[in-house]
Amino acid sequence: MHDNYRQHLDKTIQWLLKSNHKKGGSRAHFNPVTGWGNPYPETTGYIIPTLIDYAREYDDQKARKVALNFGEWLLAIQNEKGYWNGGLYPAKKDNPSVFNTGQILFGMIRLYQETGEENGPYQP
């Protein structure tokens, strides 16, 4: 990969890793005045494949560990009926979202492909 592309790729991954919320998930946004927002399950789900692919390509265990932790968090907040709520976490009310659940499934499928684990917990 061209050095310039790799430099930008690395910086982009570092930005995604900074979005990691201490209690789980990727934060929804960053505001220079107020800082990081709450976690957003939808974006957490579709960031997972990017982190896994990057970790495999560049042997980055931190990216892999964050992706696995994102998956654990998503499993922990999944509704017992199988869906995830729309919007920021924690949801103010029950808000089943087909779209968000579909986006999260991209991450869940990629974690299963990576680990072979059907029920977690995933091991870094």
Side-chain angles (χ1 to χ4, degrees), residues 15 18-19 27-38:
W15 173 254
K18 283 181 183 179
S19 77
R27 296 170 190 251
H29 60 273
F30 178 80
N31 180 305
V33 176
T34 60
W36 287 99
N38 285 348

Side-chain angles (χ1 to χ4, degrees), residues 5 18 20 23 26 33 46 50 55 59 63 68 72 76 84 88 91 102 110 115 121:
Y5 292 141
K18 283 181 183 179
N20 187 13
K23 294 182 180 178
S26 175
V33 176
Y46 63 72
T50 300
D59 193 30
L68 297 174
E72 286 296 313
W84 280 271
L88 297 175
R110 188 65 181 87
T115 67

Side-chain angles (χ1 to χ4, degrees), residues 7-103:
Q7 178 184 3
H8 288 277
L9 173 63
D10 291 344
K11 286 181 179 182
T12 302
I13 293 297
Q14 292 310 309
W15 173 254
L16 291 176
L17 293 175
K18 283 181 183 179
S19 77
N20 187 13
H21 190 277
K22 291 177 187 172
K23 294 182 180 178
S26 175
R27 296 170 190 251
H29 60 273
F30 178 80
N31 180 305
V33 176
T34 60
W36 287 99
N38 285 348
Y40 198 52
E42 173 200 340
T43 56
T44 301
Y46 63 72
I47 287 171
I48 290 171
T50 300
L51 294 177
I52 292 292
D53 290 346
Y54 180 85
R56 286 183 138 227
E57 183 70 26
Y58 300 106
D59 193 30
D60 187 314
Q61 292 307 305
K62 182 176 181 181
R64 184 175 192 275
K65 183 177 180 180
V66 169
L68 297 174
N69 289 340
F70 282 174
E72 286 296 313
W73 178 73
L74 288 168
L75 290 175
I77 66 165
Q78 183 180 19
N79 183 281
E80 68 224 14
K81 293 180 181 175
Y83 63 82
W84 280 271
N85 283 311
L88 297 175
Y89 182 84
K92 293 181 176 152
K93 63 178 183 164
D94 196 37
N95 180 25
S97 174
V98 171
F99 181 80
N100 289 20
T101 298
Q103 297 302 309

